Amino acid sequence: MDDSMIIVSLDIGTTAMKVVVASVSKGQISVIGIGSSHAQGMNRGVIVDIDKASEAIREAVKKAASQSNTEVHDVVVSLPANGVQIFPCQGAIAINDQTKEIDNDDVQQVMSAALVKTLPAEQEYVALIPNDFSVDGFKNIKDPRGMIGSRLEFNGILYSLPKSIVHNVFKAVERAGLHVVHEVLAPAALSQVALNDGEKNFGAIIIDLGGGQSTASVIHDRKLKFSTVDTEGGNLVVHDISVVLNTTLNNAAKLQRYYGTVDTKSASNVEEFPVEVVGQDEPQAVTSEYLSEIIAARMQQIFSRLQKKLDSVKAFELPGGVIITGGLAEMDGVDRLAQKIFGVKVKVFVPKQMGLRHPAFTESLGLVSYAQSLNELDILAHEVIRQRKSTNYSDDTHFISQNENQTSKSYDSSSKTTSTPMGEKFKNFWKKFFD
């Protein structure tokens, strides 16, 4: 079988729709086409006008298809973390024929048995991530297929989102003439490329500074364990510049892009640049320091709110620190301001692939990387979710609920090990939540 394949990712953002066409062979990703269009029908990371969003998606796909000389029909699409709920799940089934080897059907049955959580009417499942299996009491089995036993058990993590968000994404993609082959939560896609193996395993925080919102997520043991959304992003930074300097939004965006810095200490109070002011014939001179103060005020608010949410689950105790990406991460001084507020090491991630060397393309590249790394069990789990999305569940069990700020919660973040070696301490950081 040919081991090469084409993967097309679709990043539905507040400010831009981004499509990446990649050729993947032996784990190596080669970008062969990129398309981007101005986003329409979006508000703070979610689709609010399906028709406008689908038109913007079509435009981005057309550009990427033309550049790659590829017909685009199937896409891997990202789902925002707004309103995400995260909870552990377990399932068990009896295998009647004890001489029969465990196969795909058995694995999917035990995964389905784990989907007995009661979800609110407005929520639906979007992902099931396997942790491990047990066969006749033998635990920590990664893949039970081919084994023989009488009882099969499963442990995993379930994710759900508001139905309206999921429906609008699928509907917009469908109206754009495309088919979703896999949907991926945006933080999981980002972590695929923005974090190294140590950060994925032992725990790190990834912050996506987008145009319409800012999302902070915790990755631990290579899984998304917590996510919180702040409904402010790059658009409000541009808005602040526009209001304070009395200039148009287009001019404000250019000022932020070409002169913007978050580091007020390094900004010059002598260097000036002209700004077109509404109602005045001549441009007004503005210093780099003054522009920096406008930008830094908004960024400090965003980081301070995220800091409180992350502190609530003791995320800053994880050894990986903070990795910042997303369009707004390109601004000078973002990492230094974040480090000052968070009190841990902070770095900015920028993709290295040709044509994608901007933090705004991290999610697009992450979607491709996530899709090419899926194994057979991941695909089986995805099929289970697709089959059960429309099913109503009646079992009354606990799930992690969102608060009014659309934050996913954990059970008890106060527990941490202090007497074990450092590696074990962080490996077991979320043990109480997800074992």
Side-chain angles (χ1 to χ4, degrees), residues 321-343:
V322 175
I323 296 85
I324 298 177
T325 192
L328 208 57
E330 71 167 337
M331 280 197 304
D332 175 66
V334 165
D335 52 342
R336 294 188 289 277
L337 177 62
Q339 187 161 324
K340 178 181 177 182
I341 293 174
F342 298 145

Side-chain angles (χ1 to χ4, degrees), residues 383-395:
E383 290 176 356
V384 169
I385 291 296
R386 283 283 180 95
Q387 292 167 4
R388 297 291 292 272
K389 269 185 177 181
S390 60
T391 304
N392 293 322
Y393 300 100
S394 58
D395 291 2

Side-chain angles (χ1 to χ4, degrees), residues 351-364:
K352 297 180 180 179
Q353 274 72 7
M354 185 70 70
L356 301 182
R357 293 174 181 172
H358 190 284
F361 281 100
T362 301
E363 187 171 313
S364 300

Side-chain angles (χ1 to χ4, degrees), residues 84-113:
V84 66
Q85 296 182 356
I86 309 172
F87 44 90
C89 63
Q90 300 83 34
I93 62 170
I95 300 175
N96 295 328
D97 185 355
Q98 298 181 24
T99 65
K100 182 183 78 70
E101 291 185 350
I102 295 170
D103 57 19
N104 287 346
D105 289 340
D106 298 316
V107 168
Q108 288 196 308
Q109 284 183 35
V110 76
M111 287 178 174
S112 295

